[in-house]
Amino acid sequence: MNTRLFLSILFGMTCLLSPQAYAGEDGLSILTSRCATCHNLKGPAPTSLKALWQRKGPDLFYAGNKYRHDWLVTWLQKPVRIRPAGMFYRDHIKPGPKHDVVDESTLKPHLRLNKADAMAVADALMTLKAHSNLVASEKLTPAPSPIGEMMFDKIYGCMACHQIEPGFGGMSGPEAYTAGKRLQAPFMLSYIKNPQAWDPKIWMPNKHVPADNIQQLVNYLIDLSKEDFSDEQ
Ligand code: HEC
Ligand code: HEC
């Protein structure tokens, strides 16, 4: 191979690998090239406990039916922890003086996107619409939830796995105090009704909560996420 040819090939490869090359990429190709190693973009969800425990990131193949677009755009530029003990809590806890504590050294910060890429990726994620049938008939009626918090903390024991403020509640599920900001209401209604319809092996139990009480729980979560917890983190 002559030197000029070699140099022009080298130049071409450098262009492909340089950050500028991403600018022209659309959201779906960013997802496939930079996110698919940890996130399942095509489904189905894990069908064995082993696969569930080895999952590296939350499934995104129904992202369009799960997340709020505005939250995605913000979070992808400035990702903060959502699951206090990572994807599988048993991999990230260690014994403490009184009870198990999170082993922070095992949790890595999430990849961060610039604004243009975050917007392109958020748009692309909203097109991933598996399980539309599960949300089609779900509708939240906004209303006060007089005993929503009591249901969450005591009656159904949701707090055993979900935090209702930073550091307060269980560690094996995603924090509950930001759920209302992150998630679409029909998704929350459907997930609480039957978590295994979304994720067959997930350890969140189906508590067979009556529909009226699910409405209260979701209204409670939405109100909760309007509180400002920033000084407690
Ligand atoms: C090294 C593995 C890894 C890579 C690569 C990765 N993620 Fe993640 N992602 C995670 C983990 C782990 C979480 C859970 C974070 C938490 O709960 O605090 C997560 C959470 C998320 C969430 C929040 C979802 C939820 O339900 O909590 C979104 C959205 C997301 N990632 C999108 C992306 C996108 C888009 C890319 C590519 C640009 C990407 N991720 C690349 C591991 C990864
Ligand atoms: C044994 C632990 C456990 C209990 C009890 C539990 N959950 Fe969960 N919950 C989970 C796990 C695990 C997930 C999904 C994990 C993931 O996406 O990584 C989840 C997911 C959720 C989600 C979606 C959250 C998100 O951020 O993506 C909501 C909403 C939710 N649970 C509400 C509830 C409510 C309401 C109750 C009580 C009726 C409850 N959970 C009881 C473990 C639990």
Side-chain angles (χ1 to χ4, degrees), residues 50-71:
K50 191 166 175 252
L52 182 79
W53 294 338
Q54 287 174 348
R55 181 157 64 185
K56 292 203 190 107
D59 289 348
L60 295 180
F61 62 93
Y62 47 84
N65 283 324
K66 177 171 180 181
Y67 303 108
R68 296 176 46 136
H69 180 266
D70 55 345
W71 175 80

Side-chain angles (χ1 to χ4, degrees), residues 2-22:
N2 71 39
T3 324
R4 264 181 79 175
L5 183 61
F6 175 74
L7 281 176
S8 66
I9 291 174
L10 192 68
F11 178 69
M13 286 172 63
T14 318
C15 288
L16 276 176
L17 294 172
S18 73
Q20 285 88 335
Y22 285 125

Side-chain angles (χ1 to χ4, degrees), residues 55 57-59 62 66-67 82-83 86-89 151-152 155-162 172-176 178-179 182-183 187-189 191-192 195 199 202-209 214 217-218 220-221:
R55 181 157 64 185
D59 289 348
Y62 47 84
K66 177 171 180 181
Y67 303 108
I82 297 166
R83 291 163 190 74
M87 284 307 292
F88 185 43
Y89 58 103
M151 285 180 194
F152 198 90
I155 301 174
Y156 295 115
C158 317
M159 211 181 101
C161 302
H162 296 285
S172 66
E175 61 193 27
T178 56
R182 289 184 280 114
L183 308 171
F187 171 79
M188 290 190 272
L189 294 166
Y191 199 91
I192 297 169
D199 201 358
I202 196 66
W203 53 90
M204 171 161 157
N206 183 339
K207 301 257 184 184
H208 303 282
V209 184
I214 299 185
L217 283 165
V218 173
Y220 160 67
L221 289 175

Side-chain angles (χ1 to χ4, degrees), residues 103-145:
D103 185 356
E104 297 285 340
S105 70
T106 62
L107 291 165
K108 310 245 169 345
H110 194 271
L111 178 155
R112 187 186 275 256
L113 296 179
N114 66 35
K115 192 172 180 196
D117 286 353
M119 283 165 56
V121 165
D123 286 350
L125 284 171
M126 296 313 285
T127 66
L128 305 182
K129 290 241 184 201
H131 293 321
S132 289
N133 57 320
L134 295 178
V135 284
S137 56
E138 298 292 349
K139 195 173 180 309
L140 181 73
T141 311
S145 50

